[in-house]
Amino acid sequence: MSNKFSLGARSRRNMQGVHPDLVRVIELAIQITEVDFTVIEGLRTKERQAELVKAGKSQTQNSRHLTGHAVDLAAWVNGTVSWDKAHYHKIAEAMKAAAVKLQVPIVWGGDWKTFFDGPHFELDRKVYP
């Protein structure tokens, strides 16, 4: 583990209400990732979810964010958020590796066929209904 990155206070605040198993995955992933990241959103209200659907940033009113089973991570590169897809593939590698190590099944929004959601990670519904 490189341990060159760590979660800041804002990321920790944004993980409040997120399922503890997903938090554990994030905490391990930040230690092994090649690309620094920040937690931009975890638990959401129904009102916030409706805003995101209206803005085209989400496609469902039934988001896993509403139950604390999902987070959005943003690549943090050179002191700012980057939306470069390549960074999200690197973050996904770390998240998936951490999930395997901790035996916590996750789903990455970047693997979805109809809607690429690179920042999105959620606990697998099959194990975490």
Side-chain angles (χ1 to χ4, degrees):
M1 288 189 209
S2 67
N3 208 14
K4 59 186 171 184
F5 303 121
S6 62
L7 296 170
R10 180 177 170 196
S11 287
R12 296 211 176 271
R13 276 193 308 276
N14 290 340
M15 289 192 303
Q16 289 178 356
V18 172
H19 193 287
D21 288 350
L22 187 51
V23 170
R24 288 185 321 128
V25 171
I26 295 163
E27 288 175 338
L28 180 55
I30 195 67
Q31 295 176 36
I32 61 176
T33 186
E34 293 179 28
V35 175
D36 194 6
F37 63 80
T38 182
V39 180
I40 54 174
E41 203 158 22
L43 185 64
R44 286 186 192 146
T45 64
K46 287 184 179 186
E47 294 77 18
R48 171 73 176 140
Q49 187 63 33
E51 289 172 18
L52 292 169
V53 169
K54 187 176 180 181
K57 295 180 179 178
S58 179
Q59 296 189 332
T60 181
Q61 295 288 355
N62 190 27
S63 171
R64 301 283 280 162
H65 285 277
L66 298 172
T67 58
H69 288 84
V71 294
D72 288 335
L73 306 178
W76 190 254
V77 180
N78 298 323
T80 190
V81 169
S82 170
W83 299 111
D84 181 337
K85 279 186 181 181
H87 296 311
Y88 291 86
H89 285 279
K90 295 279 188 191
I91 293 168
E93 287 175 18
M95 285 289 289
K96 289 175 179 182
V100 168
K101 183 167 186 169
L102 297 171
Q103 298 180 7
V104 175
I106 62 168
V107 173
W108 176 42
D111 288 333
W112 294 340
K113 303 294 181 225
T114 57
F115 180 68
F116 180 86
D117 192 354
H120 183 88
F121 295 87
E122 64 181 54
L123 293 171
D124 190 330
R125 287 181 192 267
K126 293 179 211 136
V127 180
Y128 297 88

Short mmCIF file of all heavy atoms in Angstrom, two decimals, residues 14-64:
data_model
loop_
_atom_site.label_atom_id
_atom_site.label_comp_id
_atom_site.label_asym_id
_atom_site.label_seq_id
_atom_site.Cartn_x
_atom_site.Cartn_y
_atom_site.Cartn_z
N ASN A 14 -19.16 13.73 3.99
CA ASN A 14 -20.01 13.25 2.91
C ASN A 14 -20.27 11.75 2.99
O ASN A 14 -21.14 11.24 2.27
CB ASN A 14 -19.41 13.62 1.55
CG ASN A 14 -19.50 15.11 1.28
OD1 ASN A 14 -20.29 15.82 1.90
ND2 ASN A 14 -18.69 15.60 0.37
N MET A 15 -19.56 11.05 3.87
CA MET A 15 -19.81 9.62 4.07
C MET A 15 -20.76 9.36 5.24
O MET A 15 -21.12 8.22 5.50
CB MET A 15 -18.49 8.87 4.28
CG MET A 15 -17.66 8.77 3.03
SD MET A 15 -16.27 7.60 3.15
CE MET A 15 -15.36 8.21 4.55
N GLN A 16 -21.17 10.40 5.93
CA GLN A 16 -22.10 10.21 7.04
C GLN A 16 -23.40 9.62 6.51
O GLN A 16 -23.95 10.09 5.51
CB GLN A 16 -22.37 11.53 7.76
CG GLN A 16 -21.19 12.01 8.56
CD GLN A 16 -21.43 13.33 9.25
OE1 GLN A 16 -22.46 13.97 9.09
NE2 GLN A 16 -20.46 13.77 10.03
N GLY A 17 -23.87 8.56 7.14
CA GLY A 17 -25.09 7.89 6.72
C GLY A 17 -24.87 6.83 5.66
O GLY A 17 -25.80 6.14 5.27
N VAL A 18 -23.63 6.68 5.18
CA VAL A 18 -23.30 5.66 4.19
C VAL A 18 -23.05 4.34 4.93
O VAL A 18 -22.47 4.31 6.02
CB VAL A 18 -22.06 6.08 3.36
CG1 VAL A 18 -21.58 4.94 2.46
CG2 VAL A 18 -22.38 7.32 2.53
N HIS A 19 -23.51 3.25 4.33
CA HIS A 19 -23.35 1.92 4.93
C HIS A 19 -21.89 1.68 5.33
O HIS A 19 -20.98 1.96 4.55
CB HIS A 19 -23.80 0.86 3.93
CG HIS A 19 -23.99 -0.48 4.54
ND1 HIS A 19 -22.93 -1.29 4.92
CD2 HIS A 19 -25.11 -1.17 4.85
CE1 HIS A 19 -23.39 -2.41 5.44
NE2 HIS A 19 -24.72 -2.36 5.40
N PRO A 20 -21.66 1.17 6.54
CA PRO A 20 -20.29 0.98 7.04
C PRO A 20 -19.42 0.10 6.13
O PRO A 20 -18.21 0.32 6.04
CB PRO A 20 -20.47 0.32 8.41
CG PRO A 20 -21.88 0.50 8.78
CD PRO A 20 -22.66 0.81 7.54
N ASP A 21 -19.99 -0.88 5.45
CA ASP A 21 -19.18 -1.74 4.57
C ASP A 21 -18.66 -0.95 3.37
O ASP A 21 -17.51 -1.14 2.95
CB ASP A 21 -19.98 -2.95 4.09
CG ASP A 21 -20.21 -3.97 5.20
OD1 ASP A 21 -19.59 -3.84 6.29
OD2 ASP A 21 -21.01 -4.89 4.99
N LEU A 22 -19.46 -0.05 2.83
CA LEU A 22 -19.00 0.78 1.71
C LEU A 22 -17.95 1.77 2.20
O LEU A 22 -16.96 2.03 1.50
CB LEU A 22 -20.19 1.50 1.06
CG LEU A 22 -19.89 2.29 -0.22
CD1 LEU A 22 -19.14 1.45 -1.25
CD2 LEU A 22 -21.19 2.83 -0.81
N VAL A 23 -18.12 2.29 3.39
CA VAL A 23 -17.11 3.19 3.98
C VAL A 23 -15.78 2.46 4.11
O VAL A 23 -14.72 3.01 3.77
CB VAL A 23 -17.58 3.75 5.34
CG1 VAL A 23 -16.45 4.48 6.06
CG2 VAL A 23 -18.79 4.67 5.15
N ARG A 24 -15.80 1.22 4.55
CA ARG A 24 -14.56 0.43 4.69
C ARG A 24 -13.87 0.27 3.34
O ARG A 24 -12.64 0.36 3.25
CB ARG A 24 -14.86 -0.95 5.29
CG ARG A 24 -15.21 -0.91 6.76
CD ARG A 24 -15.38 -2.30 7.39
NE ARG A 24 -16.04 -3.26 6.54
CZ ARG A 24 -15.57 -4.49 6.26
NH1 ARG A 24 -14.45 -4.91 6.80
NH2 ARG A 24 -16.23 -5.31 5.49
N VAL A 25 -14.65 0.03 2.29
CA VAL A 25 -14.07 -0.12 0.96
C VAL A 25 -13.40 1.19 0.53
O VAL A 25 -12.27 1.19 0.04
CB VAL A 25 -15.15 -0.55 -0.07
CG1 VAL A 25 -14.60 -0.49 -1.49
CG2 VAL A 25 -15.67 -1.95 0.25
N ILE A 26 -14.06 2.30 0.74
CA ILE A 26 -13.51 3.61 0.37
C ILE A 26 -12.22 3.87 1.15
O ILE A 26 -11.23 4.34 0.59
CB ILE A 26 -14.55 4.72 0.63
CG1 ILE A 26 -15.74 4.54 -0.31
CG2 ILE A 26 -13.92 6.10 0.46
CD1 ILE A 26 -16.98 5.32 0.13
N GLU A 27 -12.24 3.58 2.44
CA GLU A 27 -11.06 3.83 3.28
C GLU A 27 -9.85 3.01 2.84
O GLU A 27 -8.72 3.47 2.92
CB GLU A 27 -11.40 3.58 4.75
CG GLU A 27 -12.31 4.65 5.32
CD GLU A 27 -12.78 4.38 6.74
OE1 GLU A 27 -12.77 3.19 7.17
OE2 GLU A 27 -13.17 5.34 7.41
N LEU A 28 -10.08 1.79 2.38
CA LEU A 28 -8.97 0.98 1.87
C LEU A 28 -8.56 1.46 0.47
O LEU A 28 -7.38 1.59 0.17
CB LEU A 28 -9.35 -0.50 1.84
CG LEU A 28 -8.27 -1.46 1.32
CD1 LEU A 28 -6.95 -1.31 2.09
CD2 LEU A 28 -8.78 -2.90 1.38
N ALA A 29 -9.53 1.78 -0.36
CA ALA A 29 -9.24 2.21 -1.74
C ALA A 29 -8.37 3.47 -1.77
O ALA A 29 -7.48 3.58 -2.61
CB ALA A 29 -10.53 2.43 -2.51
N ILE A 30 -8.62 4.41 -0.86
CA ILE A 30 -7.84 5.65 -0.87
C ILE A 30 -6.36 5.36 -0.58
O ILE A 30 -5.48 6.11 -1.02
CB ILE A 30 -8.41 6.72 0.10
CG1 ILE A 30 -7.82 8.11 -0.19
CG2 ILE A 30 -8.17 6.34 1.55
CD1 ILE A 30 -8.22 8.71 -1.49
N GLN A 31 -6.09 4.28 0.11
CA GLN A 31 -4.71 3.91 0.43
C GLN A 31 -3.99 3.25 -0.73
O GLN A 31 -2.76 3.28 -0.78
CB GLN A 31 -4.69 2.97 1.64
CG GLN A 31 -5.19 3.61 2.91
CD GLN A 31 -5.24 2.60 4.05
OE1 GLN A 31 -4.38 1.74 4.16
NE2 GLN A 31 -6.24 2.72 4.90
N ILE A 32 -4.73 2.68 -1.68
CA ILE A 32 -4.09 1.93 -2.76
C ILE A 32 -4.30 2.55 -4.14
O ILE A 32 -3.70 2.09 -5.11
CB ILE A 32 -4.57 0.45 -2.77
CG1 ILE A 32 -6.09 0.35 -2.99
CG2 ILE A 32 -4.14 -0.24 -1.49
CD1 ILE A 32 -6.60 -1.08 -3.12
N THR A 33 -5.10 3.59 -4.23
CA THR A 33 -5.39 4.19 -5.52
C THR A 33 -4.18 4.90 -6.13
O THR A 33 -3.35 5.44 -5.41
CB THR A 33 -6.57 5.19 -5.40
OG1 THR A 33 -6.91 5.66 -6.71
CG2 THR A 33 -6.22 6.37 -4.51
N GLU A 34 -4.13 4.90 -7.45
CA GLU A 34 -3.10 5.66 -8.17
C GLU A 34 -3.56 7.10 -8.42
O GLU A 34 -2.75 7.95 -8.74
CB GLU A 34 -2.80 5.00 -9.52
CG GLU A 34 -2.13 3.65 -9.40
CD GLU A 34 -1.87 3.02 -10.76
OE1 GLU A 34 -1.71 3.76 -11.74
OE2 GLU A 34 -1.84 1.79 -10.82
N VAL A 35 -4.87 7.33 -8.31
CA VAL A 35 -5.45 8.66 -8.53
C VAL A 35 -6.19 9.06 -7.26
O VAL A 35 -7.09 8.35 -6.81
CB VAL A 35 -6.42 8.66 -9.73
CG1 VAL A 35 -7.10 10.01 -9.88
CG2 VAL A 35 -5.68 8.28 -11.01
N ASP A 36 -5.81 10.19 -6.70
CA ASP A 36 -6.48 10.69 -5.50
C ASP A 36 -7.96 10.95 -5.81
O ASP A 36 -8.33 11.25 -6.95
CB ASP A 36 -5.81 12.00 -5.04
CG ASP A 36 -6.20 12.41 -3.63
OD1 ASP A 36 -6.89 11.63 -2.93
OD2 ASP A 36 -5.80 13.52 -3.23
N PHE A 37 -8.80 10.80 -4.80
CA PHE A 37 -10.22 11.10 -4.99
C PHE A 37 -10.83 11.68 -3.74
O PHE A 37 -10.27 11.59 -2.65
CB PHE A 37 -10.99 9.85 -5.45
CG PHE A 37 -11.00 8.70 -4.47
CD1 PHE A 37 -11.87 8.67 -3.39
CD2 PHE A 37 -10.15 7.62 -4.66
CE1 PHE A 37 -11.89 7.60 -2.51
CE2 PHE A 37 -10.16 6.54 -3.78
CZ PHE A 37 -11.04 6.53 -2.71
N THR A 38 -11.98 12.30 -3.93
CA THR A 38 -12.75 12.86 -2.83
C THR A 38 -14.17 12.31 -2.92
O THR A 38 -14.64 11.98 -4.01
CB THR A 38 -12.75 14.41 -2.89
OG1 THR A 38 -13.47 14.93 -1.78
CG2 THR A 38 -13.36 14.95 -4.17
N VAL A 39 -14.82 12.17 -1.78
CA VAL A 39 -16.20 11.72 -1.75
C VAL A 39 -17.07 12.96 -1.93
O VAL A 39 -17.08 13.84 -1.07
CB VAL A 39 -16.55 11.00 -0.42
CG1 VAL A 39 -18.00 10.55 -0.41
CG2 VAL A 39 -15.60 9.84 -0.18
N ILE A 40 -17.75 13.05 -3.06
CA ILE A 40 -18.56 14.25 -3.31
C ILE A 40 -20.00 14.11 -2.85
O ILE A 40 -20.65 15.09 -2.56
CB ILE A 40 -18.51 14.71 -4.79
CG1 ILE A 40 -18.88 13.60 -5.75
CG2 ILE A 40 -17.14 15.28 -5.11
CD1 ILE A 40 -18.98 14.04 -7.20
N GLU A 41 -20.47 12.85 -2.79
CA GLU A 41 -21.84 12.67 -2.31
C GLU A 41 -22.06 11.25 -1.85
O GLU A 41 -21.57 10.30 -2.46
CB GLU A 41 -22.83 13.01 -3.43
CG GLU A 41 -24.19 13.39 -2.92
CD GLU A 41 -25.00 14.21 -3.91
OE1 GLU A 41 -24.73 14.16 -5.12
OE2 GLU A 41 -25.91 14.90 -3.44
N GLY A 42 -22.80 11.13 -0.75
CA GLY A 42 -23.18 9.82 -0.21
C GLY A 42 -24.69 9.78 -0.09
O GLY A 42 -25.40 9.75 -1.09
N LEU A 43 -25.16 9.80 1.14
CA LEU A 43 -26.59 9.75 1.41
C LEU A 43 -27.28 10.99 0.85
O LEU A 43 -26.80 12.11 1.02
CB LEU A 43 -26.81 9.68 2.93
CG LEU A 43 -28.24 9.52 3.42
CD1 LEU A 43 -28.82 8.19 2.97
CD2 LEU A 43 -28.28 9.62 4.94
N ARG A 44 -28.39 10.78 0.14
CA ARG A 44 -29.16 11.88 -0.46
C ARG A 44 -30.59 11.89 0.02
O ARG A 44 -31.16 10.85 0.33
CB ARG A 44 -29.24 11.71 -1.99
CG ARG A 44 -28.02 12.00 -2.73
CD ARG A 44 -28.31 11.94 -4.23
NE ARG A 44 -27.06 11.94 -4.96
CZ ARG A 44 -26.85 11.30 -6.09
NH1 ARG A 44 -27.81 10.62 -6.66
NH2 ARG A 44 -25.67 11.37 -6.67
N THR A 45 -31.17 13.08 -0.02
CA THR A 45 -32.61 13.21 0.24
C THR A 45 -33.36 12.94 -1.07
O THR A 45 -32.78 13.02 -2.17
CB THR A 45 -32.96 14.63 0.72
OG1 THR A 45 -32.67 15.55 -0.35
CG2 THR A 45 -32.20 15.00 1.98
N LYS A 46 -34.64 12.68 -0.98
CA LYS A 46 -35.47 12.49 -2.18
C LYS A 46 -35.50 13.76 -3.01
O LYS A 46 -35.52 13.71 -4.24
CB LYS A 46 -36.89 12.07 -1.78
CG LYS A 46 -36.98 10.66 -1.28
CD LYS A 46 -38.41 10.25 -0.99
CE LYS A 46 -38.43 8.81 -0.52
NZ LYS A 46 -39.78 8.30 -0.35
N GLU A 47 -35.47 14.91 -2.33
CA GLU A 47 -35.48 16.19 -3.04
C GLU A 47 -34.21 16.37 -3.87
O GLU A 47 -34.26 16.79 -5.03
CB GLU A 47 -35.64 17.35 -2.05
CG GLU A 47 -36.98 17.39 -1.32
CD GLU A 47 -37.12 16.37 -0.20
OE1 GLU A 47 -36.10 15.84 0.28
OE2 GLU A 47 -38.28 16.08 0.18
N ARG A 48 -33.07 16.04 -3.29
CA ARG A 48 -31.79 16.15 -4.00
C ARG A 48 -31.78 15.20 -5.19
O ARG A 48 -31.34 15.55 -6.29
CB ARG A 48 -30.63 15.84 -3.05
CG ARG A 48 -29.28 15.72 -3.72
CD ARG A 48 -28.72 17.04 -4.16
NE ARG A 48 -27.38 16.85 -4.72
CZ ARG A 48 -26.92 17.48 -5.79
NH1 ARG A 48 -27.65 18.38 -6.39
NH2 ARG A 48 -25.71 17.23 -6.23
N GLN A 49 -32.29 13.98 -4.99
CA GLN A 49 -32.33 13.01 -6.08
C GLN A 49 -33.21 13.53 -7.22
O GLN A 49 -32.85 13.40 -8.39
CB GLN A 49 -32.84 11.65 -5.58
CG GLN A 49 -32.76 10.56 -6.61
CD GLN A 49 -31.34 10.25 -7.05
OE1 GLN A 49 -30.39 10.36 -6.26
NE2 GLN A 49 -31.17 9.87 -8.30
N ALA A 50 -34.34 14.12 -6.89
CA ALA A 50 -35.24 14.67 -7.92
C ALA A 50 -34.55 15.77 -8.72
O ALA A 50 -34.70 15.85 -9.94
CB ALA A 50 -36.52 15.20 -7.27
N GLU A 51 -33.75 16.61 -8.04
CA GLU A 51 -33.00 17.67 -8.72
C GLU A 51 -32.02 17.06 -9.73
O GLU A 51 -31.89 17.56 -10.85
CB GLU A 51 -32.16 18.48 -7.72
CG GLU A 51 -32.92 19.39 -6.81
CD GLU A 51 -32.00 20.00 -5.74
OE1 GLU A 51 -30.76 19.99 -5.89
OE2 GLU A 51 -32.54 20.48 -4.73
N LEU A 52 -31.34 15.99 -9.33
CA LEU A 52 -30.35 15.36 -10.21
C LEU A 52 -31.00 14.70 -11.41
O LEU A 52 -30.46 14.74 -12.52
CB LEU A 52 -29.51 14.36 -9.42
CG LEU A 52 -28.59 15.00 -8.38
CD1 LEU A 52 -27.98 13.94 -7.46
CD2 LEU A 52 -27.50 15.82 -9.03
N VAL A 53 -32.15 14.10 -11.21
CA VAL A 53 -32.88 13.50 -12.33
C VAL A 53 -33.32 14.59 -13.30
O VAL A 53 -33.13 14.47 -14.51
CB VAL A 53 -34.09 12.67 -11.83
CG1 VAL A 53 -34.99 12.27 -12.98
CG2 VAL A 53 -33.62 11.43 -11.07
N LYS A 54 -33.86 15.67 -12.77
CA LYS A 54 -34.31 16.78 -13.60
C LYS A 54 -33.16 17.38 -14.42
O LYS A 54 -33.32 17.76 -15.57
CB LYS A 54 -34.95 17.87 -12.73
CG LYS A 54 -35.61 18.98 -13.51
CD LYS A 54 -36.31 19.96 -12.59
CE LYS A 54 -36.95 21.07 -13.40
NZ LYS A 54 -37.61 22.05 -12.53
N ALA A 55 -31.97 17.43 -13.82
CA ALA A 55 -30.79 17.98 -14.49
C ALA A 55 -30.12 16.96 -15.43
O ALA A 55 -29.15 17.29 -16.11
CB ALA A 55 -29.77 18.45 -13.45
N GLY A 56 -30.63 15.73 -15.48
CA GLY A 56 -30.06 14.71 -16.35
C GLY A 56 -28.81 14.04 -15.80
O GLY A 56 -28.11 13.32 -16.51
N LYS A 57 -28.53 14.27 -14.53
CA LYS A 57 -27.33 13.69 -13.91
C LYS A 57 -27.60 12.34 -13.26
O LYS A 57 -26.68 11.67 -12.81
CB LYS A 57 -26.73 14.67 -12.90
CG LYS A 57 -26.23 15.93 -13.58
CD LYS A 57 -25.66 16.91 -12.60
CE LYS A 57 -25.16 18.15 -13.32
NZ LYS A 57 -24.64 19.15 -12.41
N SER A 58 -28.86 11.98 -13.18
CA SER A 58 -29.27 10.66 -12.70
C SER A 58 -30.47 10.24 -13.52
O SER A 58 -31.19 11.08 -14.06
CB SER A 58 -29.63 10.71 -11.21
OG SER A 58 -30.05 9.42 -10.77
N GLN A 59 -30.67 8.94 -13.60
CA GLN A 59 -31.78 8.44 -14.40
C GLN A 59 -32.85 7.74 -13.57
O GLN A 59 -33.74 7.13 -14.13
CB GLN A 59 -31.25 7.49 -15.47
CG GLN A 59 -30.35 8.20 -16.47
CD GLN A 59 -30.00 7.33 -17.64
OE1 GLN A 59 -29.96 6.11 -17.55
NE2 GLN A 59 -29.75 7.95 -18.77
N THR A 60 -32.75 7.83 -12.25
CA THR A 60 -33.73 7.14 -11.41
C THR A 60 -34.08 7.94 -10.16
O THR A 60 -33.23 8.63 -9.61
CB THR A 60 -33.22 5.74 -11.00
OG1 THR A 60 -34.22 5.09 -10.21
CG2 THR A 60 -31.93 5.83 -10.20
N GLN A 61 -35.32 7.81 -9.75
CA GLN A 61 -35.75 8.37 -8.46
C GLN A 61 -35.47 7.37 -7.34
O GLN A 61 -35.58 7.69 -6.17
CB GLN A 61 -37.26 8.70 -8.49
CG GLN A 61 -37.63 9.79 -9.46
CD GLN A 61 -37.19 11.19 -9.01
OE1 GLN A 61 -36.67 11.38 -7.93
NE2 GLN A 61 -37.39 12.15 -9.89
N ASN A 62 -35.12 6.13 -7.72
CA ASN A 62 -34.91 5.05 -6.76
C ASN A 62 -33.42 4.77 -6.57
O ASN A 62 -32.99 3.62 -6.59
CB ASN A 62 -35.65 3.79 -7.25
CG ASN A 62 -35.70 2.71 -6.19
OD1 ASN A 62 -35.64 3.00 -5.00
ND2 ASN A 62 -35.77 1.48 -6.62
N SER A 63 -32.64 5.80 -6.38
CA SER A 63 -31.19 5.68 -6.27
C SER A 63 -30.75 4.99 -4.98
O SER A 63 -31.38 5.15 -3.93
CB SER A 63 -30.56 7.08 -6.31
OG SER A 63 -29.19 7.02 -6.02
N ARG A 64 -29.65 4.28 -5.05
CA ARG A 64 -29.07 3.66 -3.87
C ARG A 64 -28.52 4.72 -2.91
O ARG A 64 -28.28 4.44 -1.74
CB ARG A 64 -27.94 2.71 -4.28
CG ARG A 64 -28.36 1.60 -5.22
CD ARG A 64 -29.09 0.48 -4.52
NE ARG A 64 -28.13 -0.40 -3.87
CZ ARG A 64 -28.46 -1.26 -2.92
NH1 ARG A 64 -29.69 -1.36 -2.50
NH2 ARG A 64 -27.53 -2.01 -2.37
#
